[in-house]
Structures are given as C-alpha cells and as structure tokens.
C-alpha cells in the first residue's frame, strides 16, 4: 500500500498550492529544518501514529484544534 512503500517523493497540486508528499515506513523519520523531527511510530488500518520532536516554542496542533483556535480569534 501507499503508506508502506519505502520512499516516494513528489509534489501534488493541493487546494491551489503545492504539497510535498513523502512516504515512510513505521519507525522512519524526516526532518523539517534542523529542529523538527517527524517519526512514523505505527501504521494500523487507516491510522498513522506520528511523533513530533520540536523546540518548545513551536506550537503543534491537530487541524481541527488549529481551526477552532483561529475561529476564536
């Protein structure tokens, strides 16, 4: 399946912009800059568990929480 392929790297047109798409296996990671590490912890069924290591001043929210925060402002 798509989520278990070793590495796939491409860009897609996504909502008027472009999105870099990477595929990783469980226990594999990627970096954003030098300070943010994203690790795929587990893949089961339709869910992917990820771990994020980032500096404390970086705010990380699930999309639905982020949208709710922005609606309140």
């Amino acid at each position: 399946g798509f989520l278990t392929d070793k590495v796939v790297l491409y860009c897609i047109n996504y909502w008027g912009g472009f999105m870099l798409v990477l595929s990783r296996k469980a226990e594999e990671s990627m970096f954003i800059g030098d300070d943010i590490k994203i690790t795929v912890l587990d893949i089961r069924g339709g869910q992917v568990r990820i771990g994020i290591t980032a500096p404390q001043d970086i705010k990380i929210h699930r999309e639905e929480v982020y949208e709710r925060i922005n609606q309140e402002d």
Side-chain angles (χ1 to χ4, degrees):
F2 176 76
L3 291 175
T4 59
D5 292 341
K6 182 64 176 165
V7 176
V8 176
L9 174 63
Y10 59 95
C11 291
I12 60 171
N13 191 339
Y14 186 76
W15 290 355
F18 287 92
M19 175 186 291
L20 175 65
V21 178
L22 303 169
S23 294
R24 306 298 299 159
K25 288 184 175 182
E27 300 182 20
E28 293 182 336
S29 300
M30 65 192 83
F31 279 88
I32 300 173
D34 294 327
D35 297 333
I36 301 172
K37 181 179 180 181
I38 311 271
T39 303
V40 176
L41 300 175
D42 193 22
I43 303 168
R44 289 188 190 169
Q47 289 192 324
V48 178
R49 290 184 66 219
I50 61 171
I52 303 169
T53 304
Q56 286 186 328
D57 62 325
I58 301 292
K59 296 178 183 178
I60 301 170
H61 301 290
R62 295 185 320 250
E63 182 177 21
E64 63 274 15
V65 172
Y66 179 80
E67 289 173 354
R68 205 170 30 220
I69 290 168
N70 285 329
Q71 287 175 356
E72 294 173 359
D73 290 340

